[in-house]
């Protein structure tokens, strides 16, 4: 009750309760410090000092209270008096190192880091078994004493290598992408010095982590190879994960080198075939390879290999490549039919049926697609694949103009355990509801749904024609921002970036309160930055998000991009 009064700012009530509690329990520090906090908030510093002094006059007191009393003098600019109490607390730590934690913590609470540092270092020097490495590391970090900070952290990790995974998020508070950042240099120095004095696999692992944070994946690869050479178990998982990072960062040359290394050395079939999957994907990013060359590589692979649990993902990649790059969905469907006779897991069969359903839907065969989605829900109930199938069922109903049935499916999915699925369902349901009521015939919504279907089929020109007709003769003004946003997306898909930027701009200008306004601003900013080389215009769009859409999901990214464009040093 006293704490609640304190939290609510009812300090007189808190004071009355704490006085009663402290009278019954005069040695209870929690009650004492609550009483002092109430006095301080009531600007009764003398009463607060008296309460602390009363406690200190009793035998067997704890020296952290001297820090509390010293800080009250500190607040009154009586620095000499404050120093007397601080030094007295430190002296008691010298006498009894066990006091170090509560005294050091008290100093830390008030930002008296030099005193806190002295407290912990004194205790450790007197009694080495007293371990305050974590506390000291935190303090060194706040003081920007990075070498001392990392030395302490590495001391801890040396005793138990598993601590690195726990502590690395703390390193991220100081480590940046800039290799010349002071913290980066300090960490690298600590690790190189130790590795030179006594080479250990552990130091290579931490150096690899550092190089990944800096985006220098080549150096990270060198460290990972050194780790592999020193390892008795010869695990390649970390090297494979580094290859995935290189692939995601579009460093395709390095990714290829890494996956070939994994294939050459691994004795694990899973890693071998997962590397093979990436190597086949990488063929598509080599401008010297035609689509026929890539397709032949997939064909050669499956001439040598059967469809199995290990190769299934590669086979689906081939089907997607056939549909999208060769623009032959009929052949892709035939490839997927071959999976039916193979021995694979139910979840793999479900993903096969999902893909086939998508391809049939693109071909306008909605009933066959819906049948496959229903089969997926029965094949792997309550799974991610089942939820994906249910969403696609709702989406297909939306494409067909059956909005009531689509909403029934979507309302179930809004409770999904998958945040992405719940968000997708909520977004589509909101789109249908907002654009259904004022137009009883749902003419505009049906047109937009048709345009969405055409866009999913990559028939962008036809989608644009329909959306432009909606904008010319809409019955419900609520649909206009949706139509403009979709118009811009289609223009982007055709690389008509000027037209896309114009459509986004019209949305933001005419409908600034639209829930799509921040989406449009962000997309427009990226177009100006990445496609039209208009930095100042890009800056204005990201700045608009920062000042006018603070709740936007794009806020953090927009702020970072804006600062970069402005020339700020990002750490």
């Amino acid at each position: 009750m006293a704490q609640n009064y304190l939290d609510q700012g009812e300090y007189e009530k808190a004071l009355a309760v704490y006085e009663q509690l402290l009278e019954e329990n005069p040695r209870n520090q929690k009650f004492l410090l609550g009483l002092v906090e109430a006095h301080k908030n009531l600007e009764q510093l003398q009463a607060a000092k008296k309460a602390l002094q009363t406690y200190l006059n009793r035998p067997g007191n704890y020296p952290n209270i001297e820090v509390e009393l010293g800080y009250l003098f500190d607040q009154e600019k009586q620095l000499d008096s404050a120093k007397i109490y601080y030094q007295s607390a430190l002296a008691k730590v010298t006498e009894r190192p066990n006091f170090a934690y509560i005294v050091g913590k008290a100093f830390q609470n008030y930002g008296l880091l030099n005193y806190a540092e002295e407290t912990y270092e004194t205790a450790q020097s007197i009694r080495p078994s007293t371990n305050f490495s974590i506390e000291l590391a935190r303090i060194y970090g706040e003081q920007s004493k990075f070498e001392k900070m990392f030395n302490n952290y590495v001391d801890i990790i040396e005793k138990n290598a598993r601590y690195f995974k726990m502590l690395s998020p703390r390193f991220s508070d100081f480590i940046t992408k800039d290799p010349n950042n002071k913290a980066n240099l300090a960490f690298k120095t600590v690790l190189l010095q130790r590795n030179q004095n006594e080479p250990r696999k552990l130091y290579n692992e931490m150096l690899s982590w550092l190089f990944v944070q800096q985006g220098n994946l080549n150096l990270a690869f060198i460290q990972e190879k050194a780790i592999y050479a020193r390892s008795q178990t010869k695990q390649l998982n970390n090297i494979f994960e580094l290859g995935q990072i290189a692939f995601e960062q579009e460093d395709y040359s390095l990714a290829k080198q890494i996956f070939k290394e994994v294939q050459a050395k691994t004795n694990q079939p899973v890693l071998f075939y997962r590397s093979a999957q990436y190597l086949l994907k990488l063929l598509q990013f080599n401008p010297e390879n035609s689509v026929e060359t890539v397709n032949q590589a997939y064909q050669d692979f499956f001439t040598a290999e059967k469809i199995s649990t290990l190769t299934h993902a590669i086979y689906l990649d081939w089907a997607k490549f056939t549909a999208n790059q060769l623009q032959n969905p009929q052949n892709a469907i035939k490839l997927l039919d071959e999976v039916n006779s193979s021995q694979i897991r139910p979840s793999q069969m479900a993903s096969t049926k999902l893909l086939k359903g998508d391809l049939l839907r693109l071909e306008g065969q909605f009933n066959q697609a819906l049948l496959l989605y229903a089969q997926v829900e029965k094949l792997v109930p309550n799974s991610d694949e089942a939820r994906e199938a249910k969403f696609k069922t709702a989406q297909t109903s939306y494409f067909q103009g059956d909005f009531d049935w689509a909403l029934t499916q979507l309302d179930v999915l809004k409770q999904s355990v998958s945040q992405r699925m719940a968000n997708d369902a909520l977004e589509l349901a909101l789109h249908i509801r907002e654009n259904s009521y004022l137009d009883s015939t749902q003419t505009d919504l049906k047109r937009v749904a048709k345009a969405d279907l055409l866009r999913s089929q990559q028939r962008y020109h036809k989608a644009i024609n329909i959306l432009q007709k909606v904008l010319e003769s809409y019955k419900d003004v609520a649909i206009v921002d949706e139509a403009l946003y979709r118009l811009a997306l289609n223009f982007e898909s055709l690389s008509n970036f000027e037209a896309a930027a114009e459509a986004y701009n019209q949305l933001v200008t005419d409908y600034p309160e639209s829930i799509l306004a921040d989406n449009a601003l962000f997309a427009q900013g990226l177009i100006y930055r990445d496609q039209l080389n208009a930095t100042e215009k890009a800056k204005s769009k990201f700045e608009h998000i920062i000042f006018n859409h603070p709740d936007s999901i794009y806020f953090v990214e927009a702020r970072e991009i804006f600062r970069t464009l402005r020339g700020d040093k990002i750490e």
Side-chain angles (χ1 to χ4, degrees):
M1 183 170 61
Q3 184 63 50
N4 185 58
Y5 283 142
L6 203 60
D7 294 340
Q8 298 299 320
E10 299 186 56
Y11 303 121
E12 291 183 353
K13 290 182 180 179
L15 183 63
V17 179
Y18 276 127
E19 283 175 340
Q20 181 180 347
L21 289 168
L22 197 60
E23 186 175 344
E24 297 169 1
N25 303 273
R27 297 190 59 77
N28 189 303
Q29 281 202 17
K30 186 175 182 179
F31 300 156
L32 171 66
L33 295 176
L35 178 84
V36 169
E37 188 65 24
H39 276 311
K40 287 197 290 186
N41 281 288
L42 291 168
E43 298 183 2
Q44 299 170 355
L45 293 187
Q46 296 308 312
K49 285 195 283 188
K50 183 178 179 182
L52 293 171
Q53 192 63 64
T54 300
Y55 173 89
L56 289 171
N57 287 337
R58 293 191 177 97
N61 59 66
Y62 288 87
N64 60 304
I65 300 303
E66 294 189 70
V67 177
E68 300 287 341
L69 184 55
Y71 191 68
L72 287 178
F73 284 106
D74 218 332
Q75 288 181 298
E76 293 181 318
K77 308 299 181 187
Q78 299 182 41
L79 303 184
D80 290 339
S81 297
K83 189 174 181 180
I84 289 171
Y85 284 104
Y86 295 156
Q87 293 294 346
S88 176
L90 281 168
K92 289 183 172 61
V93 171
T94 303
E95 295 168 10
R96 292 182 59 185
N98 286 342
F99 283 143
Y101 181 78
I102 58 171
V103 171
K105 191 70 175 171
F107 280 130
Q108 282 180 272
N109 288 342
Y110 293 119
L112 300 167
L113 300 182
N114 291 335
Y115 281 111
E117 176 186 357
E118 186 177 351
T119 300
Y120 294 130
E121 288 181 343
T122 297
Q124 283 196 165
S125 65
I126 296 171
R127 186 178 296 170
S129 61
T130 304
N131 189 346
F132 293 108
S133 295
I134 288 282
E135 288 79 7
L136 280 168
R138 287 175 178 166
I139 291 169
Y140 294 146
E142 290 184 55
Q143 295 172 319
S144 297
K145 298 177 179 178
F146 298 125
E147 280 202 34
K148 295 184 79 171
M149 176 185 75
F150 284 120
N151 269 312
N152 268 42
Y153 279 134
V154 174
D155 284 343
I156 297 166
I157 295 166
E158 282 180 347
K159 293 173 184 173
N160 189 335
R162 285 179 295 181
Y163 285 144
F164 178 54
K165 196 168 186 178
M166 297 165 54
L167 292 172
S168 57
R170 296 187 186 182
F171 298 175
S172 299
D173 292 337
F174 304 95
I175 298 296
T176 73
K177 292 181 180 179
D178 180 7
N180 295 314
N181 171 49
K182 290 181 180 179
N184 293 49
L185 291 171
F187 191 30
K188 183 179 176 182
T189 299
V190 167
L191 294 173
L192 290 176
Q193 286 176 345
R194 294 194 182 213
N195 206 32
Q196 187 175 10
N197 293 334
E198 183 187 350
R200 289 181 61 175
K201 180 165 69 87
L202 177 64
Y203 304 137
N204 295 111
E205 290 172 353
M206 287 190 275
L207 279 167
S208 176
W209 178 88
L210 173 63
F211 293 139
V212 170
Q213 307 312 302
Q214 293 174 179
N216 196 329
L217 302 184
N218 283 290
L219 289 179
F221 187 33
I222 292 170
Q223 296 301 321
E224 289 297 339
K225 286 193 288 186
I227 293 166
Y228 178 80
R230 290 179 180 175
S231 173
Q232 293 181 343
T233 56
K234 299 301 181 187
Q235 293 293 319
L236 286 155
N237 296 73
N238 288 345
I239 293 181
F240 177 80
E241 288 172 9
L242 185 63
Q244 289 179 303
I245 294 171
F247 182 85
E248 289 165 7
Q249 295 185 6
E250 300 182 7
D251 190 344
Y252 299 130
S253 175
L254 178 62
K256 180 180 179 180
Q257 186 181 348
I258 291 173
F259 291 127
K260 279 187 172 294
E261 180 94 6
V262 173
Q263 271 201 323
K265 292 182 176 178
T266 187
N267 57 5
Q268 299 178 54
V270 171
L271 279 185
F272 180 88
Y273 285 109
R274 289 186 71 191
S275 296
Q277 181 183 11
Y278 275 104
L279 287 168
L280 283 165
K281 282 183 178 181
L282 284 165
L283 291 175
Q284 301 177 43
F285 298 103
N286 186 340
E288 297 179 3
N289 293 331
S290 65
V291 290
E292 290 79 11
T293 301
V294 177
N295 187 57
Q296 188 63 50
Y298 276 111
Q299 192 170 329
D300 292 344
F301 181 86
F302 281 103
T303 299
E305 299 280 352
K306 294 181 179 180
I307 305 169
S308 67
T309 55
L310 291 169
T311 64
H312 174 262
I314 303 174
Y315 199 76
L316 289 195
D317 285 347
W318 187 18
K320 292 174 188 174
F321 175 82
T322 302
N324 298 327
Q325 303 303 317
L326 295 179
Q327 297 184 347
N328 195 337
Q330 294 88 354
N331 275 1
I333 291 169
K334 289 178 183 177
L335 284 173
L336 294 174
D337 287 337
E338 297 294 324
V339 178
N340 292 326
S341 59
S342 58
Q343 297 296 315
I344 56 175
R345 292 189 292 268
S347 61
Q348 293 176 318
M349 183 59 75
S351 60
T352 304
K353 289 179 180 290
L354 273 173
L355 179 56
K356 185 179 175 182
D358 293 347
L359 296 176
L360 288 168
R361 193 171 69 178
L362 289 175
E363 291 294 286
Q365 300 181 47
F366 296 114
N367 290 334
Q368 293 91 325
L370 288 170
L371 180 62
L372 284 168
Y373 296 148
Q375 289 175 6
V376 171
E377 289 192 64
K378 290 181 180 178
L379 185 63
V380 283
N382 302 316
S383 66
D384 288 341
E385 290 86 357
R387 285 183 281 272
E388 185 77 20
K390 186 177 285 293
F391 178 75
K392 290 179 183 294
T393 298
Q395 196 178 46
T396 304
S397 299
Y398 162 72
F399 288 153
Q400 292 179 297
D402 189 353
F403 302 127
D404 291 337
W405 180 240
L407 285 172
T408 300
Q409 302 288 310
L410 293 168
D411 286 340
V412 174
L413 282 169
K414 284 191 291 186
Q415 309 303 320
S416 173
V417 293
S418 164
Q419 188 63 48
R420 181 189 65 81
M421 187 61 63
N423 288 342
D424 289 346
L426 181 63
E427 185 178 324
L428 183 55
L430 188 63
H431 167 61
I432 294 171
R433 284 198 169 94
E434 282 193 342
N435 298 291
S436 294
Y437 297 129
L438 295 180
D439 177 11
S440 59
T441 63
Q442 298 177 326
T443 304
D444 293 335
L445 184 58
K446 288 175 182 176
R447 285 179 172 180
V448 169
K450 178 66 173 176
D452 284 345
L453 173 62
L454 289 167
R455 181 169 177 268
S456 73
Q457 295 170 330
Q458 299 182 16
R459 296 158 72 183
Y460 305 118
H461 290 290
K462 288 189 175 182
I464 288 169
N465 288 336
I466 289 178
L467 291 167
Q468 286 175 334
K469 287 177 182 177
V470 170
L471 293 170
E472 289 168 5
S473 59
Y474 57 84
K475 294 183 178 182
D476 180 5
V477 70
I479 201 77
V480 177
D481 60 332
E482 301 274 4
L484 284 168
Y485 188 72
R486 285 160 167 77
L487 186 66
L489 292 174
N490 280 285
F491 279 132
E492 277 199 79
S493 296
L494 292 170
S495 298
N496 189 345
F497 299 112
E498 292 86 354
E502 185 179 338
Y504 285 134
N505 190 60
Q506 186 179 345
L507 191 163
V508 174
T509 303
D510 295 348
Y511 303 94
E513 302 303 319
S514 167
I515 60 171
L516 293 171
D518 59 323
N519 301 58
L521 282 164
F522 190 78
Q524 198 178 7
L526 292 180
I527 287 174
Y528 284 135
R529 184 193 69 173
D530 301 334
Q531 308 298 336
L532 302 180
N533 195 26
T535 303
E536 290 304 315
K537 286 185 177 181
K539 277 169 58 178
S540 70
K541 302 306 172 186
F542 297 121
E543 186 177 29
H544 194 119
I545 294 173
I546 295 167
F547 289 105
N548 297 290
H549 298 276
D551 296 329
S552 170
I553 59 172
Y554 301 107
F555 177 83
V556 173
E557 193 173 355
R559 182 176 59 188
E560 290 179 1
I561 294 173
F562 174 75
R563 291 177 61 195
T564 301
L565 292 174
R566 194 172 61 180
D568 297 359
K569 184 178 180 182
I570 309 297
E571 295 190 352

